[in-house]
Amino acid sequence: MKKLVMVLVLTVGLYGTAQTKSELQKHYEEFYNQMRLQGDVDGVINALTHLNVLSPSKERMDTLAYIYANDNQHLQALNTIGIEKLDTDSDLAVQVKAISLKALNQPKRALEQFEVLYQRNPNPYLAYELADLKIQVGDNAGASTNIEYGITNSKDDMRYAFYERQQPYDVPLKAAFLHLKGLVQFNTDKENIDTAIAIIDEALAIDPNFNLASLSKQALTARKQAPTEEPKQ
């Protein structure tokens, strides 16, 4: 009789726990939908975190990481899904890793993830990211390949955003590629500054308000005009 009572108690307890978990999951699913409607990012993160604890889901983890990254919480995004290069990662997970690693000034690791995205879906925007990162890590030959692809495949309506000024702005993607091409030219032949400036002038001809290209031209012009240091006796 005692055994029967114990079995009944355990059964009721497990049923109650299952019911509570189910109710909690339903609550946070409704909470998540409401936070999305209200545009409350912190609320959405809270809801997804609870749902992942109650019922772990790779897709939901990817979504949570994306929301962190989109809110410039890049460390939290990477803590959610890791930084490893995994063949099983969804496109969304790879994208989050790529942009978050780039934002955290990890160009070599970011480059690995952008390469995966490019292999899955080559396009001029990804080619630009690859070229930019390859310049940062000193791979000028690799950057040139991506730049030529980007210049050839950029459409007139494609634009790229820059944030080095207080007020963000965008320029035609082709102009952005020409700016990078000028930088690569300088990196590979520092004695031939005029050619690098001429390429950057092509970018400025497309968009005279391209601030970053103007700054690069000024720096190159100043370097060209700097007096040559006399050799020490």
Side-chain angles (χ1 to χ4, degrees):
M1 184 66 180
K2 287 184 179 180
K3 289 184 178 180
L4 178 60
V5 171
M6 184 62 70
V7 169
L8 288 172
V9 169
L10 288 173
T11 302
V12 171
L14 289 172
Y15 175 76
T17 301
Q19 187 178 35
T20 301
K21 182 178 178 180
S22 176
E23 290 172 350
L24 278 173
Q25 185 165 339
K26 182 179 178 182
H27 164 76
Y28 281 110
E29 286 171 351
E30 293 174 352
F31 180 70
Y32 167 73
N33 290 330
Q34 187 60 40
M35 291 299 98
R36 285 187 61 195
L37 286 174
Q38 294 174 198
D40 188 328
V41 175
D42 289 339
V44 168
I45 290 172
N46 184 18
L48 285 175
T49 301
H50 278 89
L51 285 169
N52 280 324
V53 171
L54 290 167
S55 179
S57 161
K58 189 177 187 304
E59 291 76 11
R60 199 182 292 123
M61 291 290 279
D62 291 349
T63 301
L64 176 58
Y66 175 78
I67 292 170
Y68 272 129
N70 201 45
D71 197 44
N72 293 318
Q73 298 186 60
H74 297 290
L75 187 58
Q76 291 87 337
L78 295 175
N79 285 339
T80 301
I81 59 172
I83 63 172
E84 298 82 6
K85 179 183 173 183
L86 301 174
D87 293 337
T88 55
D89 273 343
S90 66
D91 289 350
L92 183 61
V94 179
Q95 179 185 347
V96 169
K97 291 178 180 181
I99 63 176
S100 291
L101 286 166
K102 180 183 178 182
L104 293 173
N105 197 27
Q106 297 289 323
K108 289 184 179 180
R109 286 176 170 170
L111 189 53
E112 286 185 343
Q113 303 294 339
F114 276 113
E115 287 281 17
V116 172
L117 288 175
Y118 188 75
Q119 290 166 8
R120 294 181 182 183
N121 179 32
N123 64 73
Y125 287 106
L126 289 174
Y128 182 89
E129 298 297 343
L130 287 171
D132 186 31
L133 288 166
K134 287 177 181 178
I135 290 172
Q136 292 181 44
V137 302
D139 181 8
N140 291 299
S144 292
T145 299
N146 294 127
I147 289 167
E148 293 308 317
Y149 169 89
I151 291 174
T152 301
N153 292 280
S154 292
K155 307 298 182 184
D156 291 341
D157 61 345
M158 291 181 173
R159 302 183 71 82
Y160 191 86
F162 291 89
Y163 301 90
E164 85 278 359
R165 296 191 311 191
Q166 186 172 4
Q167 182 66 36
Y169 65 99
D170 60 55
V171 303
L173 185 57
K174 185 175 181 179
F177 274 113
L178 286 167
H179 172 245
L180 291 186
K181 185 175 181 178
L183 297 182
V184 169
Q185 168 61 34
F186 172 72
N187 288 341
T188 54
D189 186 4
K190 290 184 169 59
E191 300 302 316
N192 189 5
I193 295 178
D194 286 339
T195 300
I197 291 175
I199 296 171
I200 291 176
D201 277 338
E202 291 182 50
L204 289 168
I206 295 174
D207 191 334
N209 296 317
F210 189 174
N211 184 64
L212 188 57
S214 295
L215 293 174
S216 295
K217 181 179 178 180
Q218 291 170 23
L220 291 173
T221 302
R223 185 183 179 94
K224 177 184 174 183
Q225 295 173 347
T228 304
E229 185 179 346
E230 292 293 332
K232 294 181 180 179
Q233 299 296 327

